[in-house]
């Protein structure tokens, strides 16, 4: 055991910035990361054990306690719950004889909850030993557990076959569906792969490539919408002995899954976009940060990189361009939404906790290893390839004045055709709803939990960076949904779970607000509670990163657009309610001593 | 030679050196900006958000933002002061801070800021969380109840090889500061004393000696925090 760990450490040259990989390898080998291993790691990397634990304990998928032989991570996203997660969970718990969060006494099965795994169009889904199971029912759940108990291998439990497209490739072999419903400028199959690398880069200067991107007016597709051309220009001007291109494939915003589909069906274009960015910026190293939930794509993606190396699309003097050396490495995350934030992602790439950095300095100046780094989203990088091929003018024809081009939407929830839709910017919400076959719509969540919850009066608004920006997550809710307890509460739980915790505001305020929300949902709220929530939420504005700054959006936007739901729940007769119930508070302790609680005040 | 630059804080022009942070520039010029997680000599990491200021209508932390020539900073405004008071209240309700029984009372920066910002009763409900106390080190009691997760101990208490005695554990609302088991047992009494001094609250307590300076004669007992800076 000890030897194996020393081997793993030396595989990464004892480099503490590769701690993520070291921990992944150890966990794959030993099942978990125990005290003795942590002590050994600390010793070899000249860190304290506490420092190793700092990283281990940050990530959802590392464990310092023994896990089971088979570990089931059941997704807890809002759409999973809308599609029967509760019954599936109960079926798992009954079949395994344990509660969620536990491991069976024989150590065979572990059952855990996890934040959105990027399968919103095929829920409820679970990850079982790195294999994704989609569209679960209580019936299938029982079969799966029975199979496991009879000693079947996880792979043998799949009776559904594979999903569509490349998901069925033996190298991926996943029960995952692309559900591509609408193709446009990006997804249309009219691009001969690697044309940009082979034919265009050798004839075009790096400044000219950046100019094309600037003139195309494309803005970042990861959510923040920073102009891509400008970012590349900043990156190319910053000084450093290396420059880096990072492809952000952390895709953690609940409800988005378009990057997963791009990586499954269009990975060459994503990598080609990284090469083009590398050429434009003068970078020599590319890193793709892949969320752990998409680990089933890792071998496939590495195979494509290997092919690119063979064809000199990666490596030295790419496509015969004398001084252009560039290669790409994939870094696997370990389960932390915050690592989608670019500076947190960089910290994670350096083997640390995913705590966002203070800005300035921005990554273009001081990024990975404090060197100039351009971070772009998967979709941005894939799109860039087509822009370079077809020209800026071609791209400018698409979209509307304010927002140029197309956008991939990940649509899920109450609609007949959940999946990926490529649309031009400027599309109306009502058209989106019609397009995906949504009826009796009560609300749509635009931009995931950090976005806004819109009701009917806003359905004629258009997607655009100035009015309704979005990373692409669209979740539809019909009139039967209880928005507060099914949606808003789930989203608040998500932010509480996923905050990095360094800002006093973001660590505590969402928790305080959830308390208020629960008070209202439980019928103990009064009118001032609604006002308190709106006022208190302001404090989150001074948080360091976008997570904290938007963490109250589920509550604030639902109060703004669905105030009647709150009004209907709060007590009208009284102005104050402590929210404290003596009856329920003593229930547990009374039970423990087998006594009946006795209350005199309302006898 | 360092370059001199001019910035304005609440309309008042001050001169400072290029490369200084806004908080350094302000404090040198007798203007108080409250801080909790910032610690002279250690790299800033905007954890507590107390030093929030506004530049060009955007909130920034003055402990992490370098002063730049021509900057106009909003500091002592009603909006910002209410945020600061809100943060103090939030820190009080999310821990278990019982000042009268705390060895750090009077030397505690959180308590002193609460007085300065005139916190009476926090607007938020108390959480009364369950927290642990670690007394396994011969010199230190690490009391999680009072920890405000400022990172000062993490950043400043290291051994000669740069290893950290203290580290974060978990994330988000479950975040804690851990004292390394082994290093905590081997820590020198001098470093343990320094750890207690560097902690803004009473979360790191040096064992065995207590109340050496009586309550009533401590740092903030007579003058509010910040008065050592203001002119
Ligand atoms: C909490 C948080 C999570 C984020 N998650 C992602 C993500 O999963 N993928 C992504 O591309 N960008 C994400 N971003 C935005 C990134 O910080 C960054 O702006 C983006 O990757 C830049 O690429 P782009 O300009 O091509 O959009 C996130 C931002 C925040 C604040
Ligand atoms: S806002 Fe939240 S997630 Fe972002 S840095 Fe602060 S604590 Fe971390
Ligand atoms: S002192 Fe600046 S954020 Fe804490």
């Amino acid at each position: 055991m000890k030897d194996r760990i020393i081997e793993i450490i030396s595989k990464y040259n004892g480099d503490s910035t590769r701690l993520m990989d070291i921990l992944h390898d150890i966990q794959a080998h030993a099942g978990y990361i125990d005290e003795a291993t942590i002590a050994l790691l600390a010793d070899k990397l000249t860190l304290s054990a506490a420092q190793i634990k700092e990283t281990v304990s940050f990530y959802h998928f590392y464990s310092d306690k023994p896990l089971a032989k088979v570990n089931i991570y059941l997704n807890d996203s809002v759409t999973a719950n809308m599609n029967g997660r509760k019954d599936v969970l109960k079926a798992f718990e009954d079949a395994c004889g344990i509660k969620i969060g536990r491991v069976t006494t024989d150590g065979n099965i572990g059952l855990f909850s996890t934040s959105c795994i990027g399968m919103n169009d095929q829920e409820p889904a679970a990850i079982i030993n790195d294999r994704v199971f989609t569209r679960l029912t209580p019936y299938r759940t029982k079969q799966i557990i029975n199979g496991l108990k009879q000693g079947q291998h996880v792979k043998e439990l799949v009776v559904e076959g594979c999903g569509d497209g490349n998901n069925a490739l033996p190298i991926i072999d996943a029960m995952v569906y692309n559900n591509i419903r609408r193709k446009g400028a990006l997804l249309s199959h009219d691009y001969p792969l690697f044309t940009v690398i082979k034919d265009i880069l050798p004839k075009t200067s790096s400044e000219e490539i950046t100019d094309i991107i600037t003139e195309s007016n494309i803005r970042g597709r990861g959510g923040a919408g920073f102009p891509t051309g400008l970012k590349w220009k900043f990156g190319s001007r910053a000084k450093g002995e290396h420059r880096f291109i990072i492809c952000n494939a952390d895709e953690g915003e609940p409800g988005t899954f378009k990057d997963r589909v791009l990586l499954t069906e269009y990975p060459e274009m994503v990598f080609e976009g990284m090469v083009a960015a590398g050429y434009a910026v003068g970078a020599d190293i590319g890193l793709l940060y892949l969320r752990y939930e998409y680990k089933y794509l890792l071998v496939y993606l590495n195979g494509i990189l290997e092919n690119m190396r063979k064809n000199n699309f990666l490596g030295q003097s790419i496509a015969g361009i004398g001084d252009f050396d560039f290669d790409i490495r994939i870094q696997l995350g370990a389960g932390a939404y915050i690592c989608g934030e670019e500076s947190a992602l960089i910290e994670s790439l350096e083997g640390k906790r995913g705590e966002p950095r203070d800005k300035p300095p921005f990554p273009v100046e001081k990024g990975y290893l404090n060197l100039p780094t351009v971070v772009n989203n998967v979709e941005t990088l894939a799109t860039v390839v087509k822009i370079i091929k077809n020209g800026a003018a071609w791209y400018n024809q698409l979209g509307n004045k304010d927002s140029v081009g197309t956008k991939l939407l990940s649509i899920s929830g109450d609609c007949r055709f959940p999946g990926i839709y490529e649309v031009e910017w400027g599309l109306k919400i009502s058209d989106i709803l019609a397009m995906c076959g949504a009826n009796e719509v009560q609300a749509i969540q635009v931009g995931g939990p950090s976005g806004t919850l819109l009701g009917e009066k806003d359905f004629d608004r258009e997607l655009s960076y100035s009015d309704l920006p979005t990373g692409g997550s669209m979740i539809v809710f019909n009139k039967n949904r209880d928005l507060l307890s099914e949606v808003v509460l789930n989203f608040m739980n998500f932010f509480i779970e996923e905050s990095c915790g360094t800002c006093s505001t973001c660590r505590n305020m969402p928790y305080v607000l959830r308390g208020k929300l629960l008070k209202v949902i439980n019928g103990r709220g009064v009118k001032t509670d609604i006002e308190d929530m709106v006022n208190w939420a302001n404090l989150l504005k001074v948080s360091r990163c976008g997570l904290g700054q938007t963490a109250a959006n589920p509550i604030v936007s639902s109060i703004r657009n669905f105030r009647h739901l709150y009004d209907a729940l709060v007590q009208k007769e009284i102005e104050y309610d402590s929210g404290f119930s003596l009856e329920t508070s003593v229930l547990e302790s009374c039970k423990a001593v087998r006594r009946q609680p006795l209350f005199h005040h309302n006898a | 030679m360092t370059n001199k630059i001019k910035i304005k804080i609440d309309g008042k022009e001050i001169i400072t050196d290029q490369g200084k942070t806004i908080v350094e520039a302000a404090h040198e010029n007798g203007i108080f900006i409250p801080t909790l997680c910032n610690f002279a000599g250690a790299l800033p990491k905007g954890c507590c958000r107390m030093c929030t200021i506004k530049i060009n209508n955007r909130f920034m932390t003055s402990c992490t933002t370098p002063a730049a020539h021509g900057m106009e900073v909003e500091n002592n405004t009603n909006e910002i002061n209410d945020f600061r008071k809100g943060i103090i209240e939030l820190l009080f309700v999310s821990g278990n801070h019982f000042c009268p029984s705390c060895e750090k009372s009077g030397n505690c920066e959180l308590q002193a800021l609460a007085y300065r910002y005139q916190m009476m009763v926090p607007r938020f409900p108390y959480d009364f969380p369950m927290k642990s106390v670690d007394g396994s080190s011969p010199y230190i009691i690490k009391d999680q109840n009072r920890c405000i997760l400022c990172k000062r101990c993490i950043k400043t208490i290291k051994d000669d090889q740069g290893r950290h005695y203290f580290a974060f554990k978990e994330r988000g609302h479950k975040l804690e500061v851990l004292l390394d088991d082994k290093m905590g047992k081997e820590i020198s009494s001098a470093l343990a004393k320094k750890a207690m001094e560097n902690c803004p609250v009473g979360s790191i307590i040096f064992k065995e000696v207590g109340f050496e300076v009586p309550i009533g004669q401590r740092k903030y007992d007579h003058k509010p925090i910040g008065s050592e800076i203001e002119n």
Side-chain angles (χ1 to χ4, degrees), chain A residues 559-573:
Chain A
I559 292 180
R560 193 190 308 124
N561 296 329
F562 294 89
R563 172 76 193 223
H564 59 278
L565 298 178
Y566 288 86
D567 287 339
L569 285 173
V570 296
Q571 309 169 83
K572 316 278 172 315
E573 327 67 62

Side-chain angles (χ1 to χ4, degrees), chain B residues 122-151:
Chain B
R123 66 197 87 169
F124 316 116
Y126 278 98
D127 187 34
F128 302 118
M130 289 279 284
K131 299 279 182 186
S132 60
V133 180
D134 174 7
S136 62
S137 157
Y139 291 112
I140 285 177
I141 298 171
K142 177 73 184 81
D143 186 346
Q144 210 50 56
N145 291 288
R146 303 164 180 170
C147 184
I148 56 168
L149 295 310
C150 67
K151 261 192 171 179

Side-chain angles (χ1 to χ4, degrees), chain B residues 34-38 45-52 61-64:
Chain B
T35 60
L36 264 175
C37 70
N38 195 40
K45 175 100 193 169
C47 291
C48 70
R49 318 308 289 171
M50 270 305 281
C51 70
T52 295
T61 39
S62 53
C63 68
T64 64

Side-chain angles (χ1 to χ4, degrees), chain A residues 35 42-43 46-51 53-55 57-60 64 115 335-337 347 353 355-360 496-505 507-509 511-512 516 532 536 538-545, chain B residues 44-50 52 58-61 64-66 79 82-84 86-87 90-91 93-94 123-125 127 147-151 154 161-175 178-181 183:
Chain A
E35 282 286 336
D43 185 40
T46 328
L47 298 167
S48 61
Q51 277 173 285
K53 289 181 190 166
E54 192 164 64
T55 299
S57 64
F58 187 83
Y59 295 95
H60 190 60
D64 60 358
S115 297
Y337 163 63
E347 288 281 302
R353 298 163 64 82
E355 290 173 8
R357 295 177 178 175
D358 299 288
K359 296 167 194 167
I496 292 167
E497 176 68 31
E498 297 296 332
S499 157
C500 87
T502 44
C503 300
S504 60
T505 45
R507 178 174 68 245
N508 298 311
M509 187 49 90
Y511 182 85
V512 170
K516 276 267 178 192
D532 281 347
W536 296 358
N538 278 325
L539 197 55
L540 281 161
K541 286 185 195 158
V542 306
S543 306
R544 185 187 309 134
C545 86
Chain B
K45 175 100 193 169
C47 291
C48 70
R49 318 308 289 171
M50 270 305 281
T52 295
R58 288 187 55 142
F59 293 112
M60 312 277 280
T61 39
T64 64
T65 310
E79 182 193 30
D82 189 54
F83 279 144
R84 291 171 179 164
I87 290 169
L90 201 51
L91 288 171
V93 300
S94 55
R123 66 197 87 169
F124 316 116
D127 187 34
C147 184
I148 56 168
L149 295 310
C150 67
K151 261 192 171 179
I154 298 179
Q161 301 201 58
R163 283 184 288 226
H164 296 189
Y165 284 83
F166 296 90
F168 270 165
K169 187 169 176 246
E170 303 286 340
R171 68 184 186 204
H173 194 252
K174 296 195 201 113
L175 189 66
L178 196 80
L179 172 60
D180 186 87
D181 250 356
M183 291 173 74

